[in-house]
Amino acid sequence: MGPPSDRVTCNLKRIRREKGFSQSRLAELVGVKRQAIYDMESGRYVPNTAVALRMAKHLDCSVEDLFTIDEPGLEQPIMLIGQSPASGSRLCIARVRDRLVGYPLDGKVMLNEGLQAADGLLRPGGEGIRLLQAGARIEKTAVLLGCDPAFSILSSHVARCTGEARVHCRFSSSLKALEGLASGVAHLAGTHLHNTGQGESNVILAQKSLSNAKATVLAFSSFEEGIMVAPGNPLGIRSVVDLTRNDVRFVNREEGAALRILLDEHLSREGVPAEKIGGYGNLVLNHTHGAQMVAYNLADAALGLRAISAAYGLDFIPMETVRCDLVIPHDFLDHPAVKVILDVLQMRTLREELASLPGYESSCTGKIISAV
């Protein structure tokens, strides 16, 4: 028998009765005295592992069914991001200022492919969460919103530096990323608007989105953006003007996405109305979705990055080389994970890996662009 614990809830009495066992009968099967069963059910004692396993075997249940640990904060409120997930949904959880935020791990808006381990499960009714991750780890998790696919590389480099701090990357357009940062559901946002000669577009958008709240803008990478087309470019697409042809099936990005803003700028420069493009209103979720549409012959052209185009074996028509910046509110600069990110941005290993990606350049990585 172990000492009593005020953190353990015993469900033995309920399960024993449901299975039709008396205290005496269960004690006999398990090999303990009836008083021991009584003391467990009254919360006076917690059994050792061997006794707990034997009880679970005879009651045809798991040890976790018999005894649960009441973790601190298990039922604390959480702000769910996105459409209301169903009970039992898997969540990535982080604390942003004074509240927990939960991002469903549904794979629809994530940067990475495959299933990821969850930090918690949503309880029935969405009123609380069952934590699967240590609370201290959640406090050291930073949420990064943005659409640079190399953010997952940054996350991996952070993980290599420490076993505690984590970066959870969520795919989001530049505008949506900054809106999420402003609304307090993330610690960092990535934005990669092209400059139009009126100053630093990323800084201007950050100032507007954050309502002039203090933040630091750091360079992360530079990369080529353009049009992804089938291998060999069988339709001979050379510029945005060719997207108006009747034989070209085009898929676009959502309003507010940096690539769509770039497309609109090029269309305006060429004097081509957006409505001349037949597929202008056909939207894909992200760069990868667009590349898949072209690779599977469901579209002839999509907006994307050279690196994504190369990953799918597609041809690429460059439009601009842009810089992707990280926007960090000043009150997050001391966050455990953000501090590691700031260190990693100065490391040669990260810069070398970024520079190895098709269309990427990393001489700007880690440079302060502005303090807005």
Side-chain angles (χ1 to χ4, degrees):
M1 293 284 184
S5 172
D6 57 4
R7 297 186 60 206
V8 176
T9 296
C10 179
N11 303 308
L12 175 58
K13 185 175 182 180
R14 174 180 59 80
I15 295 175
R16 174 180 60 77
R17 287 180 171 178
E18 289 175 354
K19 301 292 183 178
F21 286 89
S22 66
Q23 288 183 339
S24 299
R25 178 55 178 161
L26 182 60
E28 179 183 350
L29 291 171
V30 174
V32 297
K33 295 181 179 180
R34 188 195 66 80
Q35 182 65 37
I37 302 296
Y38 174 81
D39 288 341
M40 291 179 215
E41 293 181 349
S42 63
R44 294 180 59 191
Y45 292 102
V46 176
N48 61 33
T49 303
V51 172
L53 289 171
R54 288 199 295 269
M55 286 195 301
K57 177 181 179 181
H58 289 292
L59 293 173
D60 192 24
C61 65
S62 68
V63 173
E64 289 83 358
D65 292 330
L66 295 175
F67 303 97
T68 57
I69 297 177
D70 299 326
E71 299 185 47
L74 194 63
E75 296 293 347
Q76 58 184 298
I78 186 168
M79 180 179 183
L80 300 175
I81 308 303
Q83 296 181 349
S84 299
S87 298
S89 292
R90 302 167 58 252
L91 304 172
C92 169
I93 302 169
R95 183 174 296 281
V96 183
R97 296 190 176 95
D98 59 348
R99 64 184 176 186
L100 291 180
V101 296
Y103 287 87
L105 294 173
D106 56 13
K108 295 180 181 178
V109 291
M110 309 216 26
L111 283 176
N112 300 322
E113 299 292 337
L115 299 177
Q116 297 186 21
D119 296 324
L121 303 176
L122 186 63
R123 286 194 177 280
E127 298 299 326
I129 50 174
R130 171 175 169 75
L131 292 179
L132 304 177
Q133 179 66 266
R137 192 83 185 277
I138 289 174
E139 298 290 338
K140 296 179 181 179
T141 298
V143 176
L144 168 56
L145 303 179
C147 59
D148 186 341
F151 284 155
S152 57
I153 295 177
L154 173 64
S155 176
S156 295
H157 278 257
V158 169
R160 292 175 190 173
C161 290
T162 172
E164 293 295 326
R166 301 183 303 164
V167 180
H168 177 66
C169 304
R170 295 290 291 197
F171 189 95
S172 182
S173 68
S174 293
L175 179 59
K176 293 294 185 182
L178 285 166
E179 289 177 348
L181 190 65
S183 63
V185 298
H187 302 86
L188 311 91
T191 175
H192 59 96
L193 299 184
H194 66 289
N195 293 329
T196 59
Q198 301 174 354
E200 291 284 353
S201 296
N202 288 338
V203 175
I204 293 171
L205 181 60
Q207 290 173 328
K208 180 180 179 181
S209 300
L210 299 180
S211 300
N212 295 317
K214 292 184 177 181
T216 294
V217 181
L218 293 169
F220 175 65
S221 66
S222 294
F223 49 67
E224 284 187 274
E225 294 180 324
I227 304 171
M228 302 181 292
V229 296
N233 194 8
L235 296 183
I237 298 170
R238 302 300 176 191
S239 71
V240 296
V241 177
D242 292 320
L243 301 179
T244 64
R245 288 166 26 195
N246 292 333
D247 63 334
V248 175
R249 298 168 298 167
F250 175 67
V251 287
N252 203 354
R253 287 290 307 280
E254 75 278 12
E255 189 174 356
L259 276 163
R260 177 156 167 172
I261 294 173
L262 177 63
L263 171 65
D264 291 344
E265 174 70 21
H266 276 247
L267 291 175
S268 176
R269 194 182 304 168
E270 297 289 341
V272 178
E275 55 268 21
K276 291 289 186 178
I277 300 178
Y280 186 85
N282 297 334
L283 306 183
V284 292
L285 297 174
N286 50 47
H287 313 189
T288 300
H289 188 193
Q292 290 172 340
M293 292 287 286
V294 176
Y296 301 151
N297 196 29
L298 298 175
D300 300 306
L303 300 173
L305 276 59
R306 181 181 291 276
I308 298 298
S309 182
Y312 280 85
L314 305 177
D315 274 20
F316 185 77
I317 298 100
M319 295 169 65
E320 297 271 354
T321 295
V322 301
R323 191 186 67 240
C324 178
D325 293 334
L326 292 173
V327 182
I328 312 172
H330 282 180
D331 61 324
F332 289 140
L333 291 176
D334 287 329
H335 185 281
V338 174
K339 291 169 70 174
V340 178
I341 290 173
L342 296 176
D343 290 339
V344 168
L345 289 174
Q346 305 303 323
M347 293 182 177
R348 179 172 55 86
T349 51
L350 174 66
R351 295 179 183 181
E352 288 181 347
E353 185 166 3
L354 291 177
S356 73
L357 299 172
Y360 271 74
E361 205 273 329
S362 63
S363 62
C364 65
T365 303
K367 293 183 179 179
I368 296 178
I369 303 302
S370 176
V372 300

